[in-house]
Amino acid sequence: MNTKTFESMRSLRKATGLVLCALGLLLPCLAEAQANAANGKLLYENNNTCLNCHNSQQPADKAEQVFKNVSAAYASRGWTLTGAAVIYGDGSAANQGNPSLLADIQTRNWKGMWAAGAYTPSQLADMAAYLDAAYWGKSITAPEPACAAQTLTWTVGGLGGGTCSATVATTAAGKTYLATDSTVPATGNATFACSATGVWSTVPSGATCVTPPTDCSAAALSWTVGAYTCNATAPMTTSGSSAVLQDLTAPTTGAATYSCSNGSWSPSSMATCATATVAPPASCSATAMSWTVGGNTCAATAAATTSGSTLVVQDTAAPATGAASYTCSNGAWTGPASASCVVQQAACAATALNWTVSGTSCNAAAPASASGVSVLLQDTTDPTTGSANYTCTNGSWSAAPSTTCINTTPAALDCVATALNWTVGSNACSATASPTLSGSALTVTDTVSPTTGTAAYTCTNGVWAIAGGSTCYAEPASPRSVSSLNGEKLWTALIGSKSGACADCHNVAKLANMDPADKIMTAVGTSADQGVPAAIRRGIQSVKTMAEFTAVSDADLADIAAFVNAKAYEKALTAGTGIVPEKQYVLWKNGASVTTLVMPTTAFASSSVVRLAFAIQAPANASLHIDHLAVSNPMFTLNRVPVSTLDQQAMAIAANKPCPVGAFDLLAGEACGLELVLAVSKPGVETAKLDIYADSAQKLDSVTVEASVTAQATGGAGGGGCTMRSSSQLMDPVLLLMTVAAGVVLAMRRRKNAQTITSEEK
């Protein structure tokens, strides 16, 4: 191997290591920056297995020879060597080796050197760093120590001091870090030093930590001077401030200064407190007073009175009248209190008043009342009763919030779950209706043979009533024999409620090749019969894992048993006889199910077109396959109707889905929209058959289509005319007679005009 090839493989190994590192398959890339080459040297030299084969300082040409030997050994074991010079584990001059290669050797336990997990990822990284340093001639040193990031705490004693803490970042040895605590109640900062061994100092320098002092709350304080005690209330005061308190109330009066220090009050020595000398209070002289209430102003004169007395003054002069009380206190009037002042307002006339509570209305007659008067009105007459407080305000009645009004008519009864029966022709159907609110509608469906159908019912005060559009079909009675061909299809079909199939657990073959332990053997029967379907039913009922096949019909089980029997005794598979497609679909028109399609009656015109939008729906419990649709009368066209032309009820049934062109399938309960179009050529009745095919040849049903086109009106609202035409006549006899008469008159006029012209020419 030449040097160029060696370096190319070294680059390949480096690229491969980077890719695997990015995928998370090798050691973390970030760990390489902190590898300890000095520790790797100790690990390498203490490992005799490494030294027995490798020299970390051998030259490149010798490394090539070792690489060849190692490559051959890898190849003999079916391994692939992804890098160069496995003994070095080195990367390049710019990194700290390739610990991933050493990890690969340890994982594979190449040549039995290391057992898996013998060295930790960190130790492998250190050895790779040592090999890399030896190969590239780097200094073999340990990384510089550093102090780890953590939360440090410091305390400053004395008044206002406290304990602070802060998180410091990783810091190199010999460096300092300024920690700051800015979170109340204690705030401050301190400088921590990182020692040469990577340990934070326990005593920081320049530490500060301050706890703000507590303010003093408002408090009732008292002080005593000699035999006299005074008291007053101190306001809330910040720490370090003081407040001057005064007691001005007899029998003792005085003053004192209190200081606030960190939440505590303390008095000064200059307090005073002595017996009060009180002069008799002064009387009040007569004074004109005025007061305003609600924008109205009243006035009156308060007479002279002694201190401590209270007078009620009144204003009795219109338009505003009222009263107020005033009190004399040491020569000064205070007030007004309990004041009133109103402008005389209009009275309310007697009237009938109405009030409504939660949609229910009551009424009663209010008597004539003065403004400001409140009356209680009561409605005691069914069907609604209640009461309301009304107040007369300047000629208008207003109701208070506390009104009541209830409907005394008994609430309509809801309908309970009931078995309902309906008949269409000679067919009778039944189904159970679920509980339904009075006034609501419900559609019930009979899905149980021998008759099936739907009916719309409404609930009115607890009574069910049938609506129009009911259907009830009788399934055709026809002899049916088992079909082993159908059984073959059912054998692999997902007929279980959990999408299970018979073939999932059982195997059918020639009797000699079947497993006697397979429980399906109980359904094989003899060569003279068609299997034992009852054995399959017993298995479904007794084996817990077969419970998902409970809903499979007896007819289908008979077909499956016939298939198992035919396979076991090597019989030919047969289709059976008397199997006809079931008529299971519903037609909807104008929101109701129908059995015939009657198009809207239309008056004849030269370009008349009759349209009918309808929907076809699969039964609620089975899907519906339609191979194709055909109309027997060429005058009719069958369109896949755009949903915008469907009436609202048909749109709801068809879920805004037009029927696809060609063959299509509808899931259980799913519907799609169709449209019949008749291009009118003449008045009369047009009929057709809409044939529905389940496959290319098997007709599922034929639906009668009918359209009536009347003659165009000739009289009507315009002229008040009449007609003698029957609905089957193409021409009105009266109209024909009038046309002939008009032609005769016109001919006579033209003849007369021609004679006049001839006379003038002569």
Side-chain angles (χ1 to χ4, degrees), residues 607-610 635-637 677-682 686:
S607 60
S608 294
V609 175
V610 185
M635 298 293 292
F636 292 85
T637 303
V677 180
L678 171 64
V680 179
S681 61
K682 62 181 180 179
E686 291 288 347

Side-chain angles (χ1 to χ4, degrees), residues 37-384:
N39 183 53
K41 183 174 184 298
L42 293 175
L43 293 169
Y44 190 87
E45 291 176 350
N46 288 334
N47 189 328
N48 293 330
T49 303
C50 295
L51 292 178
N52 287 341
C53 299
H54 308 296
N55 180 354
S56 62
Q57 298 179 359
Q58 57 190 302
D61 57 349
K62 193 171 182 179
E64 292 179 19
Q65 182 59 44
V66 174
F67 171 73
K68 292 178 180 178
N69 297 337
V70 173
S71 298
Y74 261 53
S76 67
R77 291 170 175 253
W79 299 342
T80 300
L81 187 61
T82 58
V86 71
I87 60 172
Y88 287 102
D90 60 296
S92 68
N95 62 21
Q96 286 188 293
N98 189 357
S100 61
L101 188 55
L102 297 181
D104 179 60
I105 294 173
Q106 176 172 262
T107 301
R108 298 174 183 269
N109 193 16
W110 183 68
K111 283 192 175 184
M113 291 197 315
W114 301 331
Y119 290 97
T120 66
S122 175
Q123 291 173 327
L124 293 176
D126 290 348
M127 280 196 283
Y130 161 61
L131 295 174
D132 179 80
Y135 181 79
W136 296 102
K138 300 178 185 177
S139 175
I140 301 175
T141 60
E144 290 293 333
C147 294
Q150 58 183 287
T151 300
L152 300 176
T153 303
W154 66 97
T155 302
V156 177
L159 182 64
T163 298
C164 296
S165 65
T167 300
V168 297
T170 302
T171 303
K175 302 295 183 179
T176 60
Y177 189 92
L178 178 62
T180 301
D181 184 350
S182 57
T183 304
V184 295
T187 59
N189 53 62
T191 300
F192 288 86
C194 179
S195 70
T197 59
V199 179
W200 288 106
S201 59
T202 57
V203 180
S205 60
T208 63
C209 188
V210 179
T211 302
T214 303
D215 297 336
C216 293
S217 302
L221 304 176
S222 62
W223 63 97
T224 301
V225 178
Y228 303 104
T229 299
C230 295
N231 56 73
T233 299
M236 185 178 70
T237 305
T238 58
S239 180
S241 301
S242 51
V244 177
L245 308 185
Q246 287 185 307
D247 183 351
L248 302 177
T249 305
T252 57
T253 59
T257 300
Y258 275 78
S259 299
C260 173
S261 176
N262 198 26
S264 299
W265 289 104
S266 58
S268 67
S269 58
M270 301 301 292
T272 62
C273 186
T275 301
T277 302
V278 182
S283 299
C284 294
S285 59
T287 305
M289 305 293 186
S290 65
W291 61 97
T292 300
V293 179
N296 301 321
T297 301
C298 294
T301 299
T305 189
T306 58
S307 179
S309 299
T310 297
L311 298 180
V312 176
V313 295
Q314 291 183 314
D315 182 348
T316 58
T321 60
S325 61
Y326 286 86
T327 300
C328 175
S329 178
N330 197 23
W333 291 103
T334 58
S338 303
S340 65
C341 186
V342 296
V343 175
Q344 296 300 319
Q345 295 180 326
C348 294
T351 185
L353 298 176
N354 299 277
W355 63 95
T356 301
V357 178
S358 300
T360 303
S361 298
C362 293
N363 61 80
S369 303
S371 181
V373 173
S374 296
V375 295
L376 175 63
L377 304 184
Q378 291 183 309
D379 183 347
T380 59
T381 304
D382 291 333
T384 59

